[in-house]
Amino acid sequence: MKKLGKGVYLCEWGERDNFSPFTLLGTQPKEDKRADAECPFSEKELVFEEKEDGVLLSLPVSEDEDFYGLGLMFKKVRQTGRQLHLRVNSDPIANTGDSHAPVPFFVSTKGYGVLVLTAREATFSFCNAIQKRRRSALGENRIVTDVNALYLSDNRGSDVRIFLRGAKGISIVIFAGENTLDAVERYNLFCGGGALPALYGLGILYRCFGGADEKAVLDTAQTFRKEGVPCDMIGLEPGWQTYTYSNSLCVNRKLFPDFYGMVKKLREQNFHVNLWEHAFLHNSCPLYDELFDKSGDYEVWQGIVPDFSLEEVRRTYAEYHEREFLSAGIDDFKVDECDSSDYSTNWSFPPYAKFPGGTNGEQMHQLLGTLLAKTFHDRKKTDNKRYFSQIRSLGAGASPYSFALYSDLYAHKDFVRGIINASFSGLLWTPEVRQCESERELLRRLETLVFSPFVCVNSWMIPSPPWQQWDCEKNNRGELLENREELTKKCRDILSLRMRFLPYLYAKYFEYALHGTPVFRAMPLAYPQDLRFRDCEDEYMLGEDILIAPIDADTNAQRKVIFPAGEWIGFFDHKVYAGEATIGGEMPIGVYVKRGALLPLAQAAENTDAKPVPVTVYAFGASEGETVLYEDDGESFDYESGKYNVLKITYRNGKIQTKSEGKFGGKLWEIAGAEEINV
Ligand code: GAL
C-alpha cells in the first residue's frame, strides 16, 4: 500500500495494464487542504485472487454499510446487494451497469471510496456474492410462500467484489475520510478538482430546431430577447454541416450563407454559440486524410474514428476547432454519440476494434468521451477561456471538465436519479427538456431542470419553443397553442428562477472546483448517517442549504418529502417544514431552505452579461446569518492562480455587512439589500 496524499492510498496486485484513464489524461491532483485520514483497510483485509479469466479483489464490509456511485446510473441509487458490469451504453434498460458514463468509483456510508484504475469493463458486486458453505454453516430450513418475503433475501454477502475480466492485475485507489462526502471530495481533488464552468454556462442553453437555417436561428434568438425569456447560449444541431452523420465539420453554406456573420450577431446580443458535432469523421472532413492512419480499424457511420488517446490526434483536432470555430467566437460544443448502443447497426465500433495507440474497442468505449472532453478542455485552458459544453459520455477522471452529460432517454424519474447519481462520481448531468405530452409535463420538467447542474432546452425536433407548442407533431405543423402567451410567461418565470439562484449556484461551483464538493448532492451523500435517506431516489441537496424535491413530470403524482433534522422553510410558501410532508397537485416543485440560512438571490436577468449583478440576501426564518460568495471574472482560468475574491456576507440586527478578500480587482456581485423571511 502506497500513500499518494492525504487520505489517499494506492494498492496494487499482479501485473498492471499498460494504461488507465488517469495515465492517458495526465491527471494532476489538486491540493487537499483538509486533515489526513487513515486507510480504512489493512493490507491483509483486501484479498486478491488470480483467476483463469481475470482477477478478483474482495474488500470486507460491515453490517450497516451501504454503497453508491459507479457513475451516471439511471435505474437505482443504492447499490448494496447488486451487481453491475460497467459498460458505456446509451440505452440502459435496467440497473446492470450500462450507462452513458460509468465510473469505476464507489463510495461507502462508512466514509471511504474506492477507484479502480482501469479502462476495462469492471464488474462490481456489493454484498451479493456468497461462496458455497458447508451444511453446518447454513441456517435452518424454512418454507417461504410469500413472493416479497422470498425476494427479500436475508443472505447478505460479506464483501464487495471487483472482477476485471482479462486482466492479470489490479490497481485501486482508496479515498479515506470522516464521512462519505469527504471520500467524494478527495476523489474529485485527485482528478484535479471539480469543474468551474464559465458564468454564462450556468444560464440557459436553447438548442434550435435541427432544420433551422441562419434566419431561423437568428429569429429564435431574437424571440428570446423580445419575450424576455432568459437565454445565454444558443445551440445548433447537426444541420450546420455539409455532411452528417458522420461529420464533415464544415459549414453548410446553403443553409448558413453568412455563418460567421451570424455568430458575430449572436455574440453581440450576448448569446454564446454551441455547435453539435461528433468525432466520427466523414471523407469530406478536411481532417480525414491526416487522421486516417491514426484511427481505429472500424468505421462508424462511414466515418473514421480518430484515436484520441494519441496526443497528436488531440492536438490536430483541437487546432482545427481553434482555427474554424473558437477563433470565430464559437464557445461550446455538444459532443454527441461518443457512447455506444446495442440497438442500431454501425452505431459505434465493436469491442474488438484496434486503435493505433494500443487500446481495443472495449477500452476505447470507456475512454472516448473523457478523451474528447480533455481535447476541448486543454484547448480552452491554452486560450484561458472557461466554457460549459455538453457530451454524451464520460468516465473516470472527468471531474475537472465543464461538460454536462445528456441523453436521448426521457423518463423523468431516471433523469432525477441522474442528478443524484452524478454527484457521487464527479459528473454533471442535464435533465434536458424537449417536447412533451402535456403542459403540466413541460412545467414539471422545467422545474427540475432549473435545479440541476446544466439547463438545456433541446428543441432539435421542434421548430418553435415548447412553450409555444409542447406537442411535437403540432409544433412541426406550425399549430401553436392558443394559450402560448400565458404558457410562455409561466415558463419564463421558472427559467428566471435559475437566474435568481446564480450567486448561490456560482459559489457552490467554486467550492466544487476548489474543494471537490459536489454542487448537487444525493441525500445519502449529504446525510450518510440518516438511515431514512439510504434508499432516497427523488430528492437531493443543492449545496448544504437547499433541499430539492421534484414532482414527477410523467405522473404529477403526490409524493412524500423527507426532511433532514432541523427545520426547513418552503422557498415558495414560507411555511416551516420538519419530519415529512406530502406535495403534488397544483403545488410547485419542493424547494426548501435550511432555517437560519442566508440565501443570496440575484435580480433575474435575461443573461449573465451585465456585471456586477445586483443581489439581495434573504435570511430564512432567522434574524441573523452569514454566507460566502465568490467573485472573479467569470470567464478565465485566472482563479486557479488565486485571482478571485471571497465575499463574506453577514446579516445581523437588520444590517448587512460585506467583506471581500482576495486578488481579484473587480466586482461580480453587488449586494443591494437584505430581507428577512419571517415564519
Ligand atoms: C442525438 C442527440 C440529440 C440530437 C440528435 C441530432 O444523438 O442526443 O440531442 O442532437 O442526435 O441528430
Side-chain angles (χ1 to χ4, degrees):
M1 190 178 292
K2 185 176 160 201
K3 188 164 181 175
L4 297 181
K6 282 188 215 160
V8 183
Y9 303 87
L10 173 72
C11 304
E12 299 186 290
W13 297 264
E15 202 184 302
R16 272 177 295 152
D17 282 343
N18 290 339
F19 50 81
S20 84
F22 291 83
T23 47
L24 290 176
L25 295 171
T27 301
Q28 293 292 332
K30 199 170 230 173
E31 195 197 336
D32 184 350
K33 302 221 167 83
R34 280 145 332 151
D36 201 357
E38 258 175 52
C39 185
F41 303 107
S42 69
E43 236 160 296
K44 67 174 192 306
E45 283 178 302
L46 308 174
V47 182
F48 171 75
E49 290 169 68
E50 227 174 309
K51 305 271 181 196
E52 237 169 60
D53 52 351
V55 293
L56 180 68
L57 182 70
S58 313
L59 296 86
V61 159
S62 50
E63 246 176 38
D64 55 352
E65 199 173 348
D66 273 312
F67 301 94
Y68 300 88
L70 299 187
L72 183 76
M73 296 300 159
F74 284 153
K75 302 294 178 188
K76 280 276 169 251
V77 174
R78 189 170 75 109
Q79 299 298 3
T80 320
R82 300 175 197 284
Q83 176 176 297
L84 292 94
H85 178 74
L86 298 194
R87 185 175 75 130
V88 171
N89 188 301
S90 61
D91 294 294
I93 47 171
N95 187 54
T96 56
D98 278 2
S99 161
H100 293 284
V103 179
F105 171 63
F106 71 85
V107 287
S108 146
T109 46
K110 260 180 80 185
Y112 68 87
V114 175
L115 165 71
V116 184
L117 299 175
T118 186
R120 292 173 191 269
E121 292 176 358
T123 305
F124 289 80
S125 118
F126 297 103
C127 316
N128 78 344
I130 301 175
Q131 281 183 304
K132 74 177 178 188
R133 290 164 285 180
R134 292 281 166 200
R135 188 189 298 275
S136 55
L138 295 170
E140 278 174 28
N141 283 347
R142 52 179 192 164
I143 301 170
V144 182
T145 50
D146 173 69
V147 174
N148 289 329
L150 204 59
Y151 289 165
L152 240 182
S153 162
D154 51 7
N155 272 342
R156 179 176 154 125
S158 57
D159 53 16
V160 168
R161 297 183 162 227
I162 306 167
F163 182 63
L164 288 184
R165 188 176 300 280
K168 295 202 165 67
I170 186 169
S171 307
I172 65 167
V173 181
I174 301 170
F175 299 90
E178 281 189 6
N179 53 47
T180 316
L181 189 60
D182 269 351
V184 170
E185 288 173 345
R186 286 217 149 110
Y187 165 78
N188 287 329
L189 291 172
F190 179 76
C191 297
L196 181 60
L199 181 65
Y200 72 76
L202 303 189
I204 283 115
L205 164 67
Y206 184 82
R207 304 207 68 91
C208 297
F209 181 47
D213 59 9
E214 191 174 303
K215 183 173 176 310
V217 170
L218 287 170
D219 286 352
T220 305
Q222 279 246 309
T223 315
F224 272 89
R225 293 295 182 252
K226 217 167 58 213
E227 295 183 339
V229 180
C231 184
D232 266 278
M233 297 165 278
I234 287 279
L236 267 57
E237 286 292 302
W240 67 270
Q241 298 181 66
T242 46
Y243 194 91
T244 179
Y245 297 6
S246 46
N247 281 188
S248 66
L249 298 183
C250 289
V251 174
N252 180 342
R253 295 285 178 177
K254 280 196 191 118
L255 290 177
F256 296 87
D258 184 21
F259 183 78
Y260 295 108
M262 173 194 76
V263 173
K264 194 160 169 269
K265 278 186 206 149
L266 289 170
R267 286 298 301 117
E268 281 162 9
Q269 296 169 72
N270 299 320
F271 290 105
H272 293 263
V273 181
N274 175 313
L275 289 187
W276 180 101
E277 67 158 62
H278 63 220
F280 307 129
L281 306 181
H282 184 247
N283 61 32
S284 61
C285 173
L287 295 174
Y288 188 87
D289 289 332
E290 191 179 343
L291 294 184
F292 189 88
D293 289 336
K294 294 172 190 139
S295 300
D297 54 356
Y298 281 81
E299 286 182 354
V300 177
W301 286 305
Q302 302 173 39
I304 51 166
V305 187
D307 183 350
F308 284 89
S309 73
L310 301 172
E311 218 251 305
E312 66 229 75
V313 169
R314 294 197 297 271
R315 199 180 339 112
T316 305
Y317 201 73
E319 277 169 8
Y320 180 81
H321 279 74
E322 171 68 25
R323 216 167 41 241
E324 300 295 317
F325 310 120
L326 297 169
S327 63
I330 288 150
D331 291 315
D332 287 288
F333 297 89
K334 168 177 173 177
V335 187
D336 208 17
E337 327 286 11
C338 46
D339 43 20
S340 182
S341 170
D342 298 327
Y343 288 157
S344 18
T345 32
N346 206 215
W347 180 283
S348 199
F349 46 86
Y352 43 82
K354 275 274 159 220
F355 287 84
T359 51
N360 61 29
E362 174 188 322
Q363 293 160 328
M364 187 51 89
H365 277 306
Q366 307 294 105
L367 295 166
L368 183 57
T370 320
L371 289 171
L372 280 161
K374 175 184 167 59
T375 306
F376 287 99
H377 179 82
D378 288 354
R379 182 70 232 184
K380 287 288 189 173
K381 284 208 87 163
T382 308
D383 294 348
N384 197 21
K385 277 185 88 175
R386 271 166 30 216
Y387 63 98
F388 205 174
S389 287
Q390 291 184 282
I391 199 155
R392 240 192 28 205
S393 178
L394 286 172
S399 314
Y401 306 141
S402 295
F403 277 86
L405 292 153
Y406 61 96
S407 177
D408 275 349
L409 305 174
Y410 209 34
H412 192 242
K413 273 200 168 66
D414 291 357
F415 273 27
V416 172
R417 279 191 211 103
I419 302 177
I420 292 170
N421 275 333
S423 73
F424 294 110
S425 315
L427 302 174
L428 304 169
W429 152 253
T430 174
E432 67 171 36
V433 173
R434 306 193 286 265
Q435 60 272 23
C436 293
E437 300 290 320
S438 70
E439 174 174 329
R440 171 62 74 192
E441 184 196 336
L442 171 64
L443 296 171
R444 289 296 185 214
R445 283 188 181 274
L446 280 176
E447 285 179 340
T448 305
L449 182 66
V450 295
F451 293 105
S452 81
F454 185 85
V455 179
C456 171
V457 177
N458 183 6
S459 291
W460 77 281
M461 289 178 87
I462 47 176
S464 302
W467 36 90
Q468 297 195 0
Q469 177 56 269
W470 34 263
D471 180 290
C472 185
E473 282 174 22
K474 290 185 181 156
N475 194 312
N476 273 278
R477 288 202 300 268
E479 292 169 24
L480 300 185
L481 291 165
E482 274 180 21
N483 70 340
R484 61 181 182 276
E485 248 181 61
E486 182 199 334
L487 187 57
T488 302
K489 187 184 170 311
K490 282 188 193 164
C491 294
R492 182 174 63 210
D493 289 349
I494 296 174
L495 292 170
S496 297
L497 272 175
R498 176 69 170 200
M499 305 307 281
R500 297 201 65 203
F501 272 82
L502 277 180
Y504 179 77
L505 207 55
Y506 195 62
K508 296 303 126 189
Y509 266 105
F510 234 97
E511 285 161 5
Y512 182 42
L514 299 178
H515 313 302
T517 324
V519 181
F520 293 86
R521 296 166 207 170
M523 298 310 282
L525 181 56
Y527 298 96
Q529 296 321 323
D530 191 332
L531 297 181
R532 297 173 307 156
F533 290 127
R534 292 281 172 100
D535 261 317
C536 178
E537 302 210 322
D538 57 1
E539 52 184 270
Y540 52 89
M541 299 297 297
L542 164 47
E544 42 289 307
D545 289 338
I546 299 171
L547 172 73
I548 307 290
I551 295 169
D552 188 37
D554 294 324
T555 60
N556 198 39
Q558 291 219 321
R559 56 154 296 165
K560 194 167 85 180
V561 185
I562 303 173
F563 294 95
E567 287 187 330
W568 296 76
I569 318 279
F571 178 79
F572 299 107
D573 64 10
H574 297 176
K575 284 189 185 150
V576 181
Y577 292 87
E580 284 180 16
T582 300
I583 59 169
E586 293 306 304
M587 293 159 89
I589 181 173
V591 178
Y592 307 93
V593 185
K594 198 186 264 173
R595 186 178 202 132
L598 200 60
L599 181 64
L601 294 175
Q603 227 167 58
E606 281 178 354
N607 60 68
T608 55
D609 198 60
K611 298 182 197 80
V613 179
V615 173
T616 304
V617 292
Y618 294 84
F620 270 82
S623 53
E624 55 178 57
E626 7 182 282
T627 192
V628 160
L629 290 180
Y630 291 81
E631 303 190 281
D632 76 332
D633 59 20
E635 54 191 40
S636 77
F637 285 94
D638 290 355
Y639 77 95
E640 289 192 336
S641 48
K643 263 198 170 177
Y644 63 89
N645 292 347
V646 180
L647 178 64
K648 289 196 179 126
I649 309 174
T650 318
Y651 176 73
R652 198 162 290 130
N653 305 327
K655 281 208 191 87
I656 194 99
Q657 273 188 344
T658 59
K659 195 166 156 212
S660 180
E661 276 175 8
K663 290 194 215 156
F664 174 60
K667 218 171 178 184
L668 187 55
W669 314 113
E670 179 73 62
I671 309 301
E675 248 180 64
E676 271 178 41
I677 304 292
N678 294 313
V679 290

